Every structure is written in C-alpha cells, then in structure tokens.
Amino acid sequence: MSARPDVPVRTEGTAEAVERGPLPEKVRLRVNGTEHVIEIEPRVSLLQALRDDLHLSGAKRGCDQGACGACTVMVDGRRVLACLTLAIACEGQEITTVEGLAEPDGRAGWRLHPMQEEFIAHDAFQCGYCTPGQLVSAVACVQEGHASSDAEIKEWMSGNICRCAAYLNIRAAIRAARERV
Ligand code: FES
Ligand code: FES
C-alpha cells in the first residue's frame, strides 16, 4: 500500500524509528564560561559531546566505562566521570574541563593554574594521557578539603589511574599546590 502524500507519515514506535534511535535535540552546554548550543542525541555522553562536538580534547577517553578517571571534569564544582554522564543532564550547569584551568594573563598569553605549575615542577607525569583528568581531580580534591595528608590525597585521588605510575610525584604536586589553590 503506497502512502498518501497529503497524510504525514508517523514513524514513532515503528521498526524504522527504533532502528534510527532518538532524534538529535538542541542542548545548551556552558563549558569553561562559554555557552554552546549543540545538536546531539539524548544518549550522548558528556565526554563525547566535549571531544567530538565541541572539539575540547583535554578530557581523555581511557576506558569509556568509569574505571580510569582520564575523562574527569567538574560540573558545578563537583568532579564527574564524563564518560558516564549524559551531556543533556548537564544543561544549566557550569562544566569545567582541563582547558578551563589556565587563565588569560592579560598580555595575550595564559597563566597556568597553580596545580598545573606544580605538576610541571614535580614532574608529575610521563606519557601525560591521564594528566588532564589528574589535574581536574587534583584541583577538586583540594577544593573539597580532601588533601590534608598524603593518605587522604591517596584515598580521594584513587579514582584516577596512572599507568605510568607517577603517583608519588602527583601527590607531591598536590601537596605543593594545596596552599595556592
Ligand atoms: Fe571515563 Fe575511563 S574514560 S573513567
Ligand atoms: Fe602516563 Fe599517567 S602519565 S598514564
């Protein structure tokens, strides 16, 4: 039976609609102080939206299943795993990625965040793949008041895995930065 051209075709609930999945929606994301509107499907993760739609590749895709912490960003000052967070659920909240830690220095350059400076000073990375997540997590760890001792830093940074095992230097950098953050 051929469809009548004057009758709109309804596809919701049909096999075609199920196969196609949900339609993209306009989503407003505020990232590092800048508002963006993107069209994404409701199932898109915050990590995918940041990396693929906004081209902010700082947050890394390590495991994509909540096990490594490489994708850590802050949402309204709270650390979240961007791979396990729906982008659409972050509308109206302030998202901070590693790209948002440094600040303009007023002379067309950038002033690194104290945590970034201490990571460099303490050689707190090797390959650097985990570093964006470590940095965001470290800043949040200090802001949360969870960096008063080495044991506490170890506990509250335990969600960020470093395959190069730079843990000693990461903790030294956090200790050095905690008075400056
Ligand atoms: Fe998100 Fe590993 S990529 S926890
Ligand atoms: Fe290589 Fe952490 S510096 S994984």
Side-chain angles (χ1 to χ4, degrees):
M1 189 172 66
S2 61
R4 281 175 47 189
D6 56 328
V7 176
V9 178
R10 292 181 62 85
T11 56
E12 307 95 74
T14 64
E16 181 198 333
V18 170
E19 191 176 327
R20 186 195 58 220
L23 291 171
E25 289 186 29
K26 277 200 168 60
V27 174
R28 197 176 293 271
L29 293 180
R30 189 170 170 78
V31 186
N32 303 328
T34 303
E35 192 134 311
H36 306 267
V37 179
I38 52 176
E39 274 202 25
I40 51 172
E41 291 179 17
R43 64 178 173 168
V44 167
S45 72
L46 179 58
L47 182 62
Q48 191 179 340
L50 289 171
R51 292 182 57 85
D52 301 344
D53 295 273
L54 298 178
H55 309 294
L56 291 168
S57 56
K60 295 288 179 274
R61 184 176 286 121
C63 62
D64 217 14
Q65 53 184 4
C68 73
C71 63
T72 306
V73 299
M74 280 188 261
V75 176
D76 277 352
R78 201 169 42 86
R79 357 178 199 179
V80 303
L81 297 173
C83 70
L84 293 187
T85 304
L86 291 176
I88 201 166
C90 299
E91 270 195 314
Q93 294 171 291
E94 182 65 46
I95 300 158
T96 307
T97 70
V98 71
E99 290 93 342
L101 295 184
E103 291 181 342
D105 66 359
R107 293 169 306 183
W110 292 87
R111 186 173 46 243
L112 290 181
H113 188 283
M115 191 64 78
Q116 292 172 307
E117 291 179 343
E118 297 297 351
F119 263 59
I120 294 169
H122 289 82
D123 206 12
F125 44 80
Q126 287 183 40
C127 76
Y129 197 80
C130 72
T131 309
Q134 301 278 4
L135 280 165
V136 173
S137 209
V139 171
C141 181
V142 172
Q143 287 174 349
E144 292 159 9
H146 290 140
S148 61
S149 67
D150 233 39
E152 201 178 26
I153 295 172
K154 201 171 178 179
E155 173 69 21
W156 287 89
M157 289 295 292
S158 61
N160 290 82
I161 308 300
C162 176
R163 291 191 61 164
C164 303
Y167 297 113
L168 276 180
N169 296 12
I170 291 170
R171 286 201 290 278
I174 295 173
R175 282 198 306 273
R178 69 185 163 200
E179 309 305 329
R180 304 176 56 201
V181 169

